[in-house]
Amino acid sequence: MPARYVSDEFVGRDRELSHLAVALEGALDGRSPRLLLAGRGGIGVSRLMSETIRRIGRLTEPVRVVRCTAQPARSMDAFAPIREGFTPWLESLDDGELARMVGPGAEPLARLLPALAARLGAASERSRRTAIAPERRAAWLSEAIQGLLERSGEREPVLLVLEDLHHADAGTRNLAAFLGRVTRPSRVCLVVTYGSDRLARGHPLLPQLAAMSASADPPQSIDVGPLDRVDLARLVASLEGERPTAAALLLVAERSGGDPLVAEEILAARRELPGVSLGASLDELVLARMTRRGPECRRILRLLAPAGLPIDRPALAHAAAAFEALTDGLPPRSTTRPRRGDGTLDADLRAGLAEAIEHGFVVEDSAGRVAVRHELIGRAIEDDLLPVQRRRHHLALATALGKSPASALAHWLAAHETVKARGAALAAAAAAEALDSAGDALSLRELALELGPVTPAARAAEGTLLIETAEIALAAGRPDRALAYLETAAGRFGEREDAEVRAAVHELLGRAARTLGDHDRALAEHRRAASIVPRTPSVLRAQVLASLSQTLMLLGRFIEAERTGRQAIEVAQTVGDDARAAEAHAMVTVGVAEAWGASGTIGIG
C-alpha cells in the first residue's frame, strides 16, 4: 500500500464511540441526550465526529445528521454555522413537510435562513418582531430552532452537532447554551465540541459552558485524550502502508505525545526529509515540509492560511490577483513548461493548488471550497510570513472577501486599514442586529467605537452611534454597558434643540437603571423623558409613557401607573401600526396595575 498523509482508517476512540452510541440510543428512546466533547487542537475531535456520522449512515433506522461547524470567529457572520448546517437539510424538504416542521417559528427562521425566506414568506409577512422586546428576540429564535428539531424528531431521530464552538459567534454560542439546558423529552441528540486548549481566561465561551454545567440536568462531558501506543501503531501502519518498525513507532510516540495530527506530520516529514533531524514542534514540521514544495504551492498556502476559512476558487483567484497588484514583478514559477488553467484559476495557481492537495496541506470540501487541512497547520504557515508579506496577504483577502463584511473585517484590521475596518464592523453589526444576535452586534459596535471617529462624518454621528450601541447592550443583557454609553451620550444633546433624542436617552437610561434594580433612578429618568418628549403623538412618546407606566407599577404606584399607561395606549392607537409594541407594553402594565391596585381583580383575564 502507498503511504498517505492522512489516514483513511479510523483508529482508537472506543470509549468515546461507546458514549456517543449510548447517547444515540437515548435519542431513539426520546430522552434528548446532550454531550460536550472537549479536546486540544489536533487531537482528533472532528475526526471522531466524522467517524460517528459515517457509522450512523450504516444504521437500519435513518438518523438525520445536522452538522454545524464554526470557523474562526473573525471570519464568520452571526449564526453562520447554523445557516450552513440547516439550509441544505431544510431545502431538501417539500413545502408541506417544511411548513409542518417549522411550525410557528417561520418568521425568525425566515430571517435566519435567507435561502428559505421565499418559501416561508407567507408567515414572515405577518411580522410580530416589532411587538417583541429586543432582549427577548434571541430566545424567540432559540425556541423556534428547538421546536424545529423536536418536530423533526417525531419523523426521524436528529443528531445536531455544533462543532468547534470555541470559534463560534455569540449568537451560535448562546443557542448552544439554550439547547444544552433544555431537558424536554424529544428524539434529538445534541453534541457540542470545543477546543479545551483554546479557552484561556476571559474566553467568551466560558460563561455558556458554565451555564450548561450549572443546569438541573447538565450535559455529559467527555474529554478526548491522546492515542495510546497500540492505537498509534495502527495509525502509523495505516499511513505508511506497512507495519511500523520499533524505531519509527518510538519516534512517533515520543514526539507526538499521542496527538494524531502531529503524528501525521512527523511521518510525512520523515518520508520527505530523510536524514534531517526532525524538530519536536508541529510548526517546525510544517515549515520544513513546505520548503520542499514548489513556489506555486507555497504561494497558494500563503494565501489560504491567513484566510482562516474555506474559500471557493473565484475568491482564491481574486485574492491572488489582488496580492500580485500590490507587489512588483511577476509571481515565481517552478517550470517554463506550458500549463493550462481551469477557467477560474490560472495555470500556475491550478498547479500550486494541485500540489498542495496532493501533499496533504490543503483539503477540498463537497462544495468545492478549499482550505488548509487543519487550523494549526494554517497558523504555522501564517506565522512564518514576513510582516510586509502578512499585510499584503490580508489586504488581498479583505478585497476578495469584501462581499461579507464580517469575513473582511479581521483582514482590514490586520492590514491596519482603520477606516475600512470601521465600516466593515458597522456593516457586520447591522447584519447581526437583523438576525437578533445582540451579543455579536454589541462586540462589533464596540470595535467600531474603539477604532474611533476617523472621518468628519463619523465624528458628527458618534453621539447617535453611542445611543444605538446602548440599545444593543440592553438587548444583549448588558445594562451596565448601556448605562455607561448613555451617560457619555447625554451631554452631546440639548433638551431644547434635540428634544426627541434627549428624551430617548433618558428613556433608555431609565430602562437600564430599572434592569439594574435602581427603580428610584429609573423613575426619575422616565419622568424626565416624559417632560422633554414633544407632546405631538409619536412612537417615541408612546414608548416613553409606556416605560414610565411600567416603572410606576413596579414601585406600587398603581393608580398613577394605570393613568399613564392609558395615555400611552391612546397615543399609540393614534400613531397606528408603528406603535403596536408600545401599545402592547402599556396594555400589559395597565392590566397588572388594575389587578394589583384599587380595582381589585378587574385586570385579570
Side-chain angles (χ1 to χ4, degrees), residues 37-114:
L37 264 65
R40 69 174 188 261
I43 208 67
V45 177
S46 294
R47 201 173 299 182
L48 170 63
M49 291 313 308
S50 297
E51 176 65 15
T52 301
I53 293 168
R54 187 186 71 81
R55 296 188 183 193
I56 286 173
R58 291 157 40 188
L59 297 176
T60 55
E61 180 173 355
V63 174
R64 170 63 61 181
V65 177
V66 184
R67 189 173 189 177
C68 306
T69 303
Q71 304 295 337
R74 69 178 189 179
S75 306
M76 298 298 285
D77 297 303
F79 291 112
I82 305 302
R83 285 202 306 275
E84 291 199 3
F86 277 65
T87 299
W89 165 37
L90 297 180
E91 279 184 329
S92 67
L93 304 175
D94 60 46
D95 289 344
E97 184 65 13
L98 177 64
R100 184 193 74 80
M101 287 171 46
V102 167
E107 184 181 338
L109 289 172
R111 283 198 311 280
L112 177 66
L113 308 170

Side-chain angles (χ1 to χ4, degrees), residues 226-545:
L227 297 176
D228 60 26
R229 288 289 181 97
V230 174
D231 291 331
L232 269 178
R234 291 176 56 198
L235 176 65
V236 174
S238 67
L239 290 168
E240 297 291 273
E242 60 186 10
R243 185 175 178 179
T245 64
L249 181 57
L250 181 62
L251 171 70
V252 172
E254 287 185 349
R255 303 220 172 158
S256 72
D259 188 310
L261 178 66
V262 179
E264 289 169 351
E265 288 300 309
I266 288 172
L267 291 171
R270 184 169 174 264
R271 288 195 301 268
E272 295 179 0
L273 305 167
V276 175
S277 177
L278 300 179
S281 75
L282 178 66
D283 289 7
E284 291 173 327
L285 294 169
V286 170
L287 296 177
R289 289 186 58 222
M290 192 174 78
T291 59
R292 297 295 300 270
R293 307 278 68 83
E296 299 90 352
C297 179
R298 296 197 299 271
R299 179 182 172 207
I300 285 286
L301 293 176
R302 287 165 179 160
L303 283 168
L304 288 177
L309 78 168
I311 61 176
D312 58 26
R313 281 170 167 77
L316 178 59
H318 190 173
F323 180 81
E324 298 307 327
L326 296 168
T327 59
D328 297 324
L330 297 174
R333 289 188 101 231
S334 60
T335 180
T336 57
R337 282 192 246 172
R339 288 170 169 166
R340 289 185 179 181
D342 60 7
T344 302
L345 300 179
D346 65 33
D348 288 344
L349 287 175
R350 183 186 181 190
L353 181 59
E355 184 179 357
I357 293 173
E358 178 188 355
H359 289 273
F361 286 98
V362 170
V363 292
E364 184 174 2
D365 64 17
S366 58
R369 300 176 302 180
V370 292
V372 175
R373 176 163 63 93
H374 194 280
E375 176 195 356
L376 296 180
I377 295 175
R379 194 190 308 165
I381 296 169
E382 183 180 1
D383 288 345
D384 189 53
L385 292 173
L386 296 176
V388 64
Q389 291 178 321
R390 186 177 294 115
R391 182 174 185 274
R392 289 172 181 167
H393 279 95
H394 284 296
L395 281 171
L397 287 164
T399 302
L401 302 175
K403 290 182 180 180
S404 170
S407 298
L409 172 58
H411 299 298
W412 290 129
L413 284 172
H416 310 295
E417 292 285 341
T418 306
V419 176
K420 292 180 179 179
R422 192 175 194 270
L426 290 173
E433 289 167 33
L435 293 173
D436 296 323
S437 180
D440 289 304
L442 177 59
S443 63
L444 288 163
R445 281 180 168 274
E446 290 190 329
L447 174 59
L449 286 167
E450 182 181 350
L451 292 172
V454 290
T455 65
R459 242 179 245 109
E462 190 175 22
T464 303
L465 180 59
L466 288 168
I467 297 171
E468 293 172 347
T469 304
E471 291 185 272
I472 295 297
L474 277 174
R478 293 296 309 275
D480 53 331
R481 302 290 282 179
L483 203 65
Y485 284 122
L486 291 166
E487 288 172 345
T488 303
R492 301 182 182 218
F493 302 97
E495 292 190 3
R496 292 185 178 181
E497 59 271 28
D498 302 302
E500 290 190 355
V501 177
R502 191 65 181 267
V505 168
H506 286 293
E507 192 272 333
L508 287 167
L509 278 167
R511 276 198 276 155
R514 188 173 65 207
T515 305
L516 290 167
D518 189 349
H519 290 84
D520 290 335
R521 179 175 180 181
L523 180 59
E525 297 288 357
H526 283 140
R527 285 196 189 281
R528 191 170 181 185
S531 69
I532 296 171
V533 69
R535 294 191 173 276
T536 305
S538 64
V539 174
L540 177 60
R541 181 166 179 79
Q543 185 176 332
V544 165
L545 292 172

